[in-house]
Amino acid sequence: MSGPRIALVDSGGTNIGSVTYALERLGATARLTSDPADILAADRVILPGVGAAAAGMRRLREAGLVETLHEVQAPLLGVCLGMQLLFDRSAEDGGVEALGLIPGDVVAIPPAPGVRVPHMGWNALEGLADDPLLRGVAPGERAYFVHSYAAPVGARTVATTTHGGVWSAVVRDGLRWGAQFHPERSAALGARLLRNFIVEVGR
């Protein structure tokens, strides 16, 4: 697949390599960068992330990328922690101001009998909206999740998952999308979502 210029934001997350390989398997090439000019010149921007919200925001601030991400006009996809950082705030670490690119707060998944936290493993996507990022994805297909915090279901939710409650699995606000699960570890479903981000969104 030849296609758009993809900027993979160098946010320090440990999933950067696996996201890169997943894109390469699709025939796409992403440029790992923390250069604002590279990010703003890209046709697609992916914000990966693994770990804690406070550390993730600190890395973005230290790299001078908070304002840059606000200026992105191209389709933007946040993955895992990257999705959570798109919201206004996260309850993690006592409360963290995030990027504020999608309205709303990220909250802790409450522990309950039979509910493992962190939510780790394969889980079904439900409540799929008609969205180009989800084109070709069927309700009930399973994705790989690893998270202890989640975005409640709201007006910007385009797919949900259930784990001790119903949570946002995919969100969208304009040209900004987020996937709580790891597309790069989600087999055919994840490959489909990444392909859709490259080919289908923003058309």
Side-chain angles (χ1 to χ4, degrees), residues 132-182:
L133 190 68
L134 299 172
R135 199 155 289 156
V137 177
E141 286 194 65
R142 296 167 72 83
Y144 189 80
F145 291 81
V146 182
H147 62 125
S148 299
Y149 292 79
V153 175
R156 291 161 182 84
T157 302
V158 295
T160 64
T161 197
T162 300
H163 185 73
V166 182
W167 305 100
S168 294
V170 183
V171 294
R172 179 188 182 182
D173 188 351
L175 290 177
R176 296 159 179 166
W177 283 264
Q180 179 58 73
F181 54 89
H182 286 272

Side-chain angles (χ1 to χ4, degrees), residues 103-130:
D105 293 357
V106 171
V107 301
I109 299 174
V115 177
R116 178 181 176 183
V117 179
H119 174 203
M120 182 180 299
W122 295 87
N123 215 14
L125 298 189
E126 304 156 344
L128 275 62
D130 182 11

Side-chain angles (χ1 to χ4, degrees), residues 7-31:
L8 185 61
V9 178
D10 189 358
S11 57
T14 57
N15 62 336
I16 286 174
S18 54
V19 173
T20 301
Y21 298 143
L23 292 167
E24 289 176 351
R25 287 194 295 271
L26 294 171
T29 301
R31 179 179 176 87

